[in-house]
Amino acid sequence: MFTQFGTTAENFSKASTMVFRIGTDAHLYDDPDDVSISPLLDSKFDSEKCEALKRLLALIAQGLDVSNYFPQVVKNVASQSLEVKKLVYLYLLHYAERRPNEALLSINIFQRDLGDQNPLVRAWALRTMAGIRLHVISPLVLVAVRKCSRDPSVYVRKCAANALPKLHDLRLEENATSIIEIIGILLNDNSPGVVGAAAAAFASVCPNNLPLIGRNYKRLCEILPDVEEWGQIILIGILLRYVIARHGLAKESIMASLLPNIFNNENTGSESDTDYLEIKKTYEIGIQEPELVAMVSRSYLAGHDKYLSHLNNSDTISSENTSSRFTSSKNDENVKILLQCTSPLLWSRNSAVVLAAAGVHWIMAPVEEISKIVKPLLFLLRSSDASKYVVLCNIQVFAKVMPSLFGQNIEDFFISSSDAYQVKALKLEILSSIATDASISVIFQEFQDYVRDPDRRFAANTVVAIGLCAKKNPQVAHTCVEGLLALTSPKSINSTSGSMDDEAVVLIQAITSIKDIIKQDPPSHENAIICLIRNLDAIKVPVARAMIVWIAGEYNSVGNIIPKMVPVILRFLARDFPSESIETKYQILNAAVKVLLNSKGEDFHTAKSVLSYVLDLAKFDLNYDIRDRARVLRKLLSCYFSSSGLEEKEDNDEIPLLLAEHIFGETIKASTEMFNNRFYLPGSLSQIVFHAAPGYEPLPEPCSLTESDMVKGLEGPTQTEDNDSDVDSGSLNEEEGSYYSEDSVTASTGTDNESAASESDNNNTDSLINFSDVGKPQEAANGLSEFMSKGALESWLDDNDNPGSSQNVAGIDNNERISSARISIGDISTRIKPKIYTLLDPTYGNGLKVVYKYSSEVSTMSPSLVSVDTIFENCSSDPMTKLFLTHEDYELLDQGSSSESQKDVPDFVPMEKIAILEPGQTIKRVIHVHFHHHLLPMKLILWFNDKKHPVKLRPDIGYFIKPFIMDLDVFSQKESQLPGMFEYTRRCSFTDHLAELASDDKDGDVPSTKDSFLIICESLASKMLSNANLHLVSVNMPVDANLNDASGLCLRFSGEILSNSIPCLVSVTLDGKSFEPLNATVKINCEETVFGLNLLNRIVNFLPEPRLTS
Amino acid sequence: MLQCIFLLSDSGEVMLEKQLTGHRVDRSICAWFWEQSLSQPDSFKVLPVIASPTHYLFQIVREGITFLACTQVEMQPLMGIEFLCRVADVLSDYLGGLNEDVIKDNFVIVYELLDEMIDNGFPLTTEPNILRDMIAPPNIVSKMLSVVTGNTSNVSDTLPGATSSCVPWRTTQLKHANNDVYVNLVEEMDAIINSDGALVKCEIFGVVEVNSHLSGIPDLTLSFANPSILNDVQFHPCVRFRPWESEKVLSFVPPDGLFKLMSYRVKKLRNTPIYVKPQMSSESGTCRLSVMVGIRNDPGKAVDSLVVQFQLPHCVSSANLTANHGTVNILADKTCSWSIGRIPKDKAPQMSGTLVLEDGVEQLQVKPTFRVGFKIMGVALSGLKINKLDLKNLPTPAHKGFRAQTEAGQYEVRS
C-alpha cells in the first residue's frame, strides 16, 4: 500500500514540476546540444545568441568541455545586450586561461566598456578583464584598476579592490608596488563597502605589510561596524595582527597569564605588584591548568611546529624582554578602541563575524571581561547545523583553557536528539571539561539519560565522559563507578543480545572507564573490583573479559576479600582456559603470575599449581604466541618450579626472579591526561582540521613592528613587506603568500649563490671572448658552402667544446650586415653558474639541507622532462636514513584512485633512494620532472628518517627549453617566419658589466686586453646562459660605433621548447653608454604565445638583477 | 578564499560548477566526496569541514541539495559555511524552494546569481534586496513572456542605487501606494524534559520579523516593554548599535519587504504549555507503551498542530499503537508519528499499544526520545512585549500591525 502511494505521489510531483518547468530554461539543461550551437552564436538576434550561450553554460554546468566555441563566443562580447554580455563573461571566465590567444581579442571591448556611462558595465568589464588572468594584459588591467579605484561609483571601486588579488595572483613583480599602493588608496576610501573589499585584498596580497594599516588604524576601527559583514571578518583579523605587532599583547589578557614567573622575577616595583595580583586573580577566576594556557597562547603566537621546537628552551624565550612586549588593554588607547569597536559585532547575525570578534576578545580583552563572549558564542549554536559544529570546536578550546567561562551555561551543551553524532561527541567533551563540584550532579543526571540513548556509539562516548568527570572530581568517583557498574550487570547485558556489537562497545567502554577510575585510588574501590569479578561469568565479550581478568590480577592484594577471591576465580578460569579467547588467555597467564608473586604460605602452593596447570595448557595452545609466552614464563619462573619451598628464592637464580617481579609486580602509575595539544587561532580552518592549513599564520611577534618600520612602510611598502617576512621566518614563511608562485626570499638566496659562484670564477675568465679578425665569410648564399661552413663550425665547436654541454660556445660569422666584428666567445661554460634554489632549509628540515639547480642536460628519460640536480647535505650531527623524494600525489596514484596514472610521461621520475647520509656528507641526485605549468610550483614530498616533509619545486621557465643549435642564417630565416603576433618585446635595464668594468679599472695593469664591449658581451651572455638553457647563436657588434657607445650590440640565442620542440628565438639588443647602466631590449619570437610571454617576463626579470660581485 | 562551488543533487550528480579563481578545481573532487560520504554515512555526511587529499571542503545540505565549496588555503571556515547558507537562502527565495529540478530548470539564474554574489572567491553582493534589483527572479509573467516571445532578459541593465547608498540593504526611491509595516514575533520553544519528568532546559529562541512596505527612507524605532528578559540578541545589519547599547531600543532604516530584524533568546523559563508523559514497561519480549498529552499551563490561545514523534529502537520488530484521538503512523524508517492536531476539550489524548521486541531480547534497555511539535498563534511565550513602534521621515502616515506566534523548536521528552 505504501509503495503504491509513493509512486502516485512521485507521479504527482513529476506532473506538477512539468507544469512549473514551462517557461524556464529546463529544456536547455536537459538537452543542451540538441541543436547546433555554432549558427546560433553567429546569429544576428540577441535572443538566439542568448539561447546558444545558455546551452554552452548548461554544458559547462554538466562538466563538458566546450572551449572549442571560444572564438565564436568572444566575438559576442561586443554585444549591446547586457544579458548576452553577462553570459559571454561567464563563459570567458571559465575558459580564458586555456585559450589566451583568443581571449586577447576581447581586450579592446573591455577597454571600451571601461569608459561606459553605466557603472554596471564598467564593473563587469573590470571584473572579467582581471578575471581572465593573462600575463600579457596585466599592465592594461593595472591601469584599469587604478582608474576604477577613483571611480565615482562605489560598486566599481569595490570591484577594483576585488581585482587586485587577481592581479597579484599572476605574480608579476613589477606590479607589486602599484598593487599595494592602490590598496592603500582603497583602504582610505570613504565608503565602508570599499574598505571591506580593500581589507580582503590586503589580506590576500600583503598580509604582513602592517605599516599600511598603521596609517589608518583608528579610522579603520571606527568604520568597522559599518563595513559589510564579509569585510568585517577579514578586517577584524588584520586589526588584531596590527595591534599585536605594534603594541604587543595585553598584560591583563589570558594570553599574558602564561608568564607568572616573569612577574615574580621582576623585582618589587609597585606596578608589577598589581600585575601579580591580577595574575593571581586570574587563577581565582578559574584557569585550572596554567600549562595548558601557556601552551595555547604560545601556539597562537608561534605556530604549533615552532612552539614544539622551542619547547625545551621555552624559559629563556619567555623571560627575555617580556615587560616591553606587553601593553595594557585598560590603558592603551589602541587596544581599547579595538575592543570597543568589535564588541557590538558580537551581535552580528553572521556567525563568522561573531566568532572573529569573540577571537579578538579572547586574545586581547582583560580576563574578567572575557565572559562577554560567552552568550554570543552560545547563541550561535542555534544557527545552522554546519556552523554549530565549527563553533563547538572553538568553544571546546576556550572551555579547556578556562572551564569557568562556560560553567554557568551547562544546559546549552545538553544533547538534543537531532544533533549529529560529531556534535554530540563535542558537547560531551565540553561538558566533561566544564563540570564543577556544583554542576556535576546535574550533569550526571543528564548522562544517565544519554547512556540509555538508542545510539549506542553515543552511549559509549557518554561512558568515556563519565570516566573523565570522575577523574577530574575525585569526590564523585564512587557515584560514577556505581553507575558504570550497573551497565556491566548481567541484567543489562543479557537483555539486549539483539544488538550485541553495539552493546559490546558500551560494555568495553564502561569497563575501561572503571579501570581508569580504579587506577586513581585502588583501595577505595574494593567493592567495585569485587562486583566486576562477580560479573565475570556473565560477561562474554572477550575484550571486556580480558580487562576484568587484568583488574583481578593487578589488584589481587587490595583489601581483605579480594585476596581470597582471586585465587578461586583463577582456578575456574584455569579450568576453562582452552575455551577462552586469546586476549583473555594472555590476561589469565599474567594474572596467575601476579597472584603467585603476591601469595604466601598455603596460598603459594595453590597458586603455583594453578600457574603450572595453566602453563601446561598454554604449551599446547593453537596460538603460537601463547605457546611462546608460556615458555618464557616457565623459564622466568623456573625457580618456583625447580623445587618447592620459599628458601629457593635466596638461591642464585635471582636475576629471573627480579625480572619477574619487575615485569609483573610493579604498580602502574596513573598516566597524565592526554589532550589534543594542537591549538590554532580561534576561528581558523586549521583549528578545525587540526593541522596548519597552507597560508595559516600565527599571530605576529608582539611589538615586532617598530616606529622605524612604520616610517619605512610609508616610504616603500614592498620593501617592508619583505623585511617583515624575513623577520617572521620559521616554517610558515614558505607558506606565506607564496602558495602559488615564486618566493622572493628563495629567489634572493638564489642570486646570492650565483654571485658567490661567479665571484670564485673571476680568475679564469681572462679570454672568454676572442676577436678573430676574419673578414667576411665565404658566400653564404649557395647551399654547398653553407653546408661546409656548418661543418666547419661543428668541427670548431668540437675543438672548444666541453663534452656534454653544447650551449657554451658560439663562434658565428655575421654575414648580414655590411661589416661588423665577428666575435667568438671562448669557453664560457666556467662562467655559467645556474641559479641554486633551496628546496629544504636546514633550520626546519632537522638539519637536512636540500638545494637544487636546473641542469642544462636534457633528461635521459624523455625529452619532455626537465632534469634537476638535487644536492642533499646533512648539516646535523646525526646520520639520516632513507632519503627519498616523491610526488605529492604519489600515494594517491599508488592506490589507483586516479585514472591519470596511465599517462605516457610521468610527472615525476622518482630518484634513486639514498640509504644513509652521514653528517656533513653531500650527495647529488638527478630528478626528472615534468611541469604542467610554467609558474606553479610542483609539490613534492621529501621522506627522510621515515618522516615526510612537503617541499615545493619551483619551476624555472628558462629550463623548459633546450639549446637549439643553428647558425645565423637559419636564425634570421626563422625570425622572419614569426612576425607580428608571435613577436614580443620588452625593455629592461642591464648593469652587470659595470662591476666588472670598475674592477678592471682598478687593476689597471692590463687594461688593453679587455675591451669594454667584450666585458659587456661576456657578462650579458653569461647572465643569459646562467638563467636559461639557450644556445648562443651570434654576437653582433657595430664596428663603426665609438668606444663608449654600446648601442647596437646584439646577442642572439636560440632554443626549443622541451614539450613540443617549437623553436624559440631570443634577441637582446643593448642601448646606451658602456660605463652606464644599459637599456636592453629583449625580443622573443615563438609560436607558442603563452610560453614566449612567460619566458620574456622571466628574462626581463632576471636581467636587471644585480650581480653582487666583490 | 573559496576556489569553486559545486551543487550536488541528492544522488550525487554534479548539477552545477562555478569556478571562482584561476586555480580551478576538477570536478573529480565531487566523486571523491560522494564516495566517502556513501562509505561513512553518519560521520562524513554531516561534517561541515572536510580535509580531502587536495582541498578543504565546506558543505551544507539543504533539502537534499549539497552545496560544496573548495579552498586550498587557510580561511575562516564559518565564512565559507555562512556564505553557502546565504546562497542557499537566496536561491530558495528566488526559486520558491530547493530541489534538483528547480535548480536545473533555472541554471542560468543560478549562475548569474553566483556570479554576482561572489567575486574571486570573496563575497560581493549578498543582500537579497540588491540582488533582486540586479537579477529579476523568475515569475509567472516572465515565464509566460518567454513562452510567447521566445526570450526575455532577467538581467537588469542598471546598477541598483542601493549599492552606493549608505544603507546598502535598502532599495532607493521606493514608492508604495499603501504604506504599511508589520512586526511579527516568531518564537520557538526549546525544551528538554528528562526521564524523571523534570524540566531540564526550557528556552525561547525568537525572531522579530518585519514586513515593511514604506516609501522613501523611513527611520523606525522599536522598543520593548521588558527588554531585560532578553538573554542574548543578534541584529540585522540595519540596526544601529548605539541606541541599543544605551537605551535598549531598536533604531533602524528597514530594507523593503520581509526581513529578520533581530533574533533573541530568553533562557530559563519555568513552564511549558503542554505536558507529554510517556510510560514504558517491558516484559518477556514485549513492551507496553503509553503516552499522555495534555495542557499544563493554558497559554490563553489554542495549541494547534500538535505532533508527537519518536524513533522506534532497533530491537523493536513490530509495533501496534493506537490513539484515542488523532492518527498514528509508522513510517518505513521506524519513525512513529502521532498527529493530534488540536487538543479536544472533553478528553486527554492518549496513545497506547505494545512493541514486540526481536527474538532473544527480553527487555527494552534503550529509551527513545519523543519530539513534540506544536504551534500557538497570537502569543509569545517568552513574555516579550512590544512597547511601541515610531515611524519617522515618512511622507504619509503608515499602517502598523503586530502579531506573535510560538512554535515548538527542539522540544524533547525523554522516556
Side-chain angles (χ1 to χ4, degrees), chain A residues 657-697:
Chain A
L657 198 68
L658 275 178
L659 207 58
E661 284 200 334
H662 264 119
I663 294 172
F664 294 103
E666 219 168 317
T667 47
I668 292 162
K669 289 176 218 113
S671 62
T672 49
E673 197 193 338
M674 287 287 293
F675 33 58
N676 183 3
N677 49 8
R678 288 167 176 262
F679 295 104
Y680 299 95
L681 286 178
S684 65
L685 177 61
S686 308
Q687 178 59 45
I688 308 297
V689 297
F690 289 126
H691 62 252
Y696 172 81
E697 263 189 279

Side-chain angles (χ1 to χ4, degrees), chain B residues 100-348:
Chain B
E100 191 182 335
D101 284 337
V102 92
I103 285 181
K104 285 184 177 173
D105 295 352
N106 298 289
F107 72 98
V108 177
I109 290 189
V110 178
Y111 261 117
E112 287 167 351
L113 280 173
L114 280 178
D115 194 52
E116 263 332 305
M117 289 183 78
I118 189 163
D119 184 16
N120 198 34
F122 188 75
L124 181 65
T125 311
T126 48
E127 197 54 54
N129 272 304
I130 303 180
L131 286 173
R132 279 179 174 277
D133 284 354
M134 289 178 129
I135 296 150
N139 56 32
I140 200 76
V141 180
S142 69
K143 280 182 191 169
M144 293 320 288
L145 267 177
S146 78
V147 171
V148 177
T149 63
N151 210 300
T152 50
S153 166
N154 60 346
V155 179
S156 152
D157 49 5
T158 50
L159 186 68
T163 50
S164 50
S165 80
C166 56
V167 280
W169 51 85
R170 187 171 174 84
T171 318
T172 44
Q173 291 148 6
L174 267 175
K175 286 215 175 70
H176 287 285
N178 299 321
N179 279 323
D180 45 31
V181 55
Y182 296 99
V183 180
N184 192 3
L185 297 181
V186 182
E187 303 201 329
E188 281 184 18
M189 175 174 261
D190 290 5
I192 294 176
I193 292 132
N194 72 6
S195 51
D196 301 339
L199 187 63
V200 177
K201 164 176 145 179
C202 181
E203 57 191 40
I204 290 280
F205 175 80
V207 176
V208 182
E209 281 184 356
V210 177
N211 196 354
S212 115
H213 299 283
L214 299 169
S215 312
I217 299 191
D219 202 328
L220 277 61
T221 312
L222 180 71
S223 61
F224 298 106
N226 49 352
S228 58
I229 65 165
L230 299 176
N231 181 277
D232 195 32
V233 286
Q234 280 183 358
F235 296 126
H236 188 273
C238 69
V239 176
R240 301 186 181 103
F241 293 130
R242 286 276 156 68
W244 177 261
E245 271 173 333
S246 53
E247 306 157 55
K248 301 280 177 197
V249 293
L250 296 168
S251 161
F252 59 99
V253 176
D256 200 45
L258 185 68
F259 68 99
K260 285 182 188 171
L261 178 67
M262 153 181 166
S263 334
Y264 58 88
R265 183 156 77 149
V266 180
K267 287 179 78 174
K268 301 212 159 97
L269 292 173
R270 298 270 154 69
N271 290 316
T272 55
I274 55 164
Y275 66 84
V276 175
K277 283 186 180 154
Q279 281 185 327
M280 294 175 105
S281 60
S282 47
E283 202 181 332
S284 64
T286 55
C287 174
R288 280 209 58 79
L289 170 78
S290 84
V291 185
M292 307 244 292
V293 177
I295 302 280
R296 172 175 304 187
N297 299 292
D298 197 345
K301 305 271 177 177
V303 180
D304 236 336
S305 335
L306 196 56
V307 181
V308 178
Q309 277 190 324
F310 69 101
Q311 191 82 30
L312 292 173
H314 290 296
C315 53
V316 172
S317 61
S318 70
N320 178 21
L321 296 167
T322 51
N324 64 355
H325 186 84
T327 53
V328 182
N329 271 319
I330 298 175
L331 306 177
D333 60 344
K334 283 196 169 175
T335 307
C336 177
S337 159
W338 174 28
S339 26
I340 302 163
R342 189 172 289 197
I343 294 180
K345 294 237 165 56
D346 49 342
K347 57 181 173 182

